[in-house]
Amino acid sequence: MTGNNAERIDLSRAHSARVYDFILGGKDNYEADRAAAAAALEAWPGLRTSMHINRAVMHRMANWLASEAKVDQFLDIGTGIPTAPNLHQVVQGVTPDARVVYVDNDPIVLAHARALLTGTPEGRTAYIEADMREPDNILSAPELHETLDLSRPVALTIIAVLQFVEDADGLIQRLLEPLASGSYLALTLATAELAPESAALAAAYTRRGIPMYLRTRSEVEELFAGAGLELLSPGVVPMHHWRPEPGEELAEAAAVNMYAGVGRKP
């Protein structure tokens, strides 16, 4: 990490990307992050399993978008600290010339951006340092327009971060606005409906300075409807039920606390 990045990290406050990193066994976290992770795991011990399942769902979504939907451009919001395989590795494994733009606001993620920018020779990856709650800064970034052609379909992926956004509807609609017809939205989002302990989990995150907003299945469906998207099969489902691999053993519902869904912009 460069000195400038290190100086910008607020060591007194936890960050969702670093909490996620610690729970998954990473080393890019600080005491505040570890304390938040411990409180979250005490509130709901199933969180670690759910996070691993979420990564697997992201891989399936990315692979489906690249192989079945034939999308070769991706905008990934709330990227997090690199954990292989990353989204660009999945999609460029299907389409070597696929282009990916990552977005995050954690200086540690920025310090690791070099790993995110190492893709296939044919493809292209870029990184934007921006807060997802300020979408105009994302949409005006030169890196976005230098990497993606917004006149062609783009897959907008927002994985496991919308629970940290109060106005998820407004964020989604603004990010989709300049994207071409035939673009996609793929998301996973936390809920208390599948694992009631998630309410205590959300409270633990919020007490540590990371406000968390849980949503019901109908509220997640409304995110797609409000953006005018065609919700694709199998709809909004517990994330482990989103297009599982043939023969894949599904986790118990109590082991997940997120819904998943993919929609298409007409």
Side-chain angles (χ1 to χ4, degrees):
M1 181 183 302
T2 67
N4 288 341
N5 287 336
E7 292 167 3
R8 292 168 48 216
I9 298 173
D10 182 355
L11 300 182
S12 67
R13 296 189 62 183
H15 189 287
S16 59
R18 300 195 299 266
V19 173
Y20 195 97
D21 174 74
F22 175 76
I23 291 175
L24 290 183
K27 299 179 180 179
D28 292 294
N29 45 74
Y30 295 91
E31 182 56 37
D33 308 308
R34 294 189 282 272
L41 287 168
E42 182 178 1
W44 185 46
L47 178 60
R48 179 176 283 110
T49 298
S50 188
M51 284 185 171
H52 281 288
I53 293 172
N54 179 73
R55 290 292 300 179
V57 174
M58 183 275 283
H59 296 157
R60 293 204 303 273
M61 286 179 158
N63 183 75
W64 184 88
L65 287 163
S67 61
E68 300 296 327
K70 306 299 183 187
V71 180
D72 62 2
Q73 302 190 108
F74 292 77
L75 175 57
D76 184 57
I77 306 296
T79 298
I81 295 167
T83 303
N86 291 295
L87 186 144
H88 73 278
Q89 294 168 315
V90 175
V91 301
Q92 290 178 353
V94 176
T95 306
D97 61 353
R99 296 183 166 213
V100 178
V101 173
Y102 290 110
V103 179
D104 208 293
N105 72 331
D106 183 358
I108 286 188
V109 179
L110 175 61
H112 285 282
R114 185 172 300 172
L116 293 170
L117 302 181
T118 304
T120 60
E122 305 96 324
R124 188 169 178 183
T125 58
Y127 180 83
I128 299 171
E129 184 183 14
D131 191 319
M132 63 182 172
R133 293 164 295 189
E134 300 173 351
D136 286 346
N137 292 340
I138 298 171
L139 296 174
S140 64
E143 296 89 344
L144 176 68
H145 299 278
E146 291 167 0
T147 309
L148 305 183
D149 176 0
L150 300 189
S151 69
R152 298 196 301 109
V154 173
L156 173 64
T157 58
I158 314 180
I159 305 299
V161 290
L162 277 174
Q163 60 266 26
F164 303 115
V165 179
E166 186 172 11
D167 182 17
D169 301 80
L171 173 66
I172 288 172
Q173 291 172 30
R174 181 67 186 102
L175 289 173
L176 284 171
E177 184 179 341
L179 303 188
S181 174
S183 292
Y184 290 83
L185 168 67
L187 62 79
T188 63
L189 203 164
T191 180
E193 290 186 324
L194 301 174
E197 298 90 341
S198 286
L201 170 68
Y205 265 88
T206 301
R207 284 195 300 272
R208 297 285 176 168
I210 309 175
M212 181 181 283
Y213 307 93
L214 303 179
R215 291 176 171 88
T216 64
R217 185 174 192 162
S218 62
E219 287 174 328
V220 179
E221 291 171 340
E222 184 56 35
L223 293 177
F224 288 96
L229 301 179
E230 173 194 359
L231 184 58
L232 305 182
S233 176
V236 171
V237 294
M239 62 180 174
H240 56 310
H241 285 283
W242 196 89
R243 298 179 183 267
E245 299 295 336
E248 181 178 347
E249 183 177 345
L250 297 180
E252 293 292 330
V256 301
N257 71 326
M258 289 191 184
Y259 285 121
V262 173
R264 182 181 184 275
K265 182 175 181 178

